[in-house]
Amino acid sequence: EVQLVQSGAEVKKPGESLKISCKTSGYTFTNFWIGWVRQTPGKGLEWLGIIYPGDSDTRYSPSFQGHITISADKSMSTAYLQWSSLKASDSAIFYCARLGPAMADFDIWGQGTLVNISS
Amino acid sequence: SFELTQPPSVSVSPGQTARITCSGDALAKQYTYWYQQKAGQAPVLVIYKDTERPSGIPDRFSGSTSGTIVTLTISGVQAEDEADYFCQSVDSSGPFYVFGPGTKVTVL
């Protein structure tokens, strides 16, 4: 069974750094793109970026480029999303999701990680 | 990239048919994907490539397309179908993944 299991909820202050994880199992990690999606009450679902763990090819949404970093560890079958300096507006639920073979849809999703940024 | 439009809400009685539309100029050229998100849960893919259903998705879920409007139909709605439904497409020049704002389906 394909599974994506994300790290737990985080509470951070503005300006702090954060790295959340997405551990995968049940398929060959290096053969599928993994994406990160943000969900907020006001803006719905937004795509942040994707990574191909096979060669670490990474693409970012222009809306988030420069503010986030996506990475992957092949030895751990795990993808990561990180921030070097959080803002209050980063508060959201973040999902990792595997992209389907056509690289057009998100066919399996993690359970989500709630990130709360508050001073 | 482009925008997708969905009605904010749809209400339907059990056993009836719910139709959720998603519109956008890009949909005439790009496939649409549909996700179901129940309260407190992650989204689940229920339709891909406009009309295809992943394994494990009940056959009461179906998709159709006509020009720039794509429709998710839930036939014989059940209480468990109450959820938010999001459409999604992709601008392959990026790629850029675009989600619709979501439609809340309420089962009366």
Side-chain angles (χ1 to χ4, degrees), chain A residues 37 39 44-47 50 59-62 95 99 102-112, chain B residues 33 35 37 40-45 48-49 84 86 88-90 94-101:
Chain A
V37 177
Q39 186 167 34
L45 294 170
E46 299 174 279
W47 162 69
I50 58 174
R59 319 280 177 88
Y60 292 98
S61 164
Y95 294 98
L99 270 74
M103 206 179 149
D105 59 321
F106 300 92
D107 65 355
I108 306 292
W109 293 63
Q111 85 277 17
Chain B
Y33 305 85
Y35 303 89
Q37 186 178 33
Q41 298 183 21
V44 172
L45 181 69
Y48 67 99
K49 289 186 178 180
D84 293 324
F86 297 89
Q88 175 251 311
S89 192
V90 59
F96 302 106
Y97 300 89
V98 179
F99 290 91

Side-chain angles (χ1 to χ4, degrees), chain B residues 4 6 10 18 23 32 34-35 38 41 43 53-54 57-58 62-64 83 88 90-91 93 96 98 101-103:
Chain B
L4 301 176
Q6 297 181 240
V10 167
S23 62
T32 303
W34 288 95
Y35 303 89
K38 297 182 179 179
Q41 298 183 21
R53 199 171 45 249
I57 301 302
S62 64
S64 61
Q88 175 251 311
V90 59
D91 179 345
S93 66
F96 302 106
V98 179
T103 297

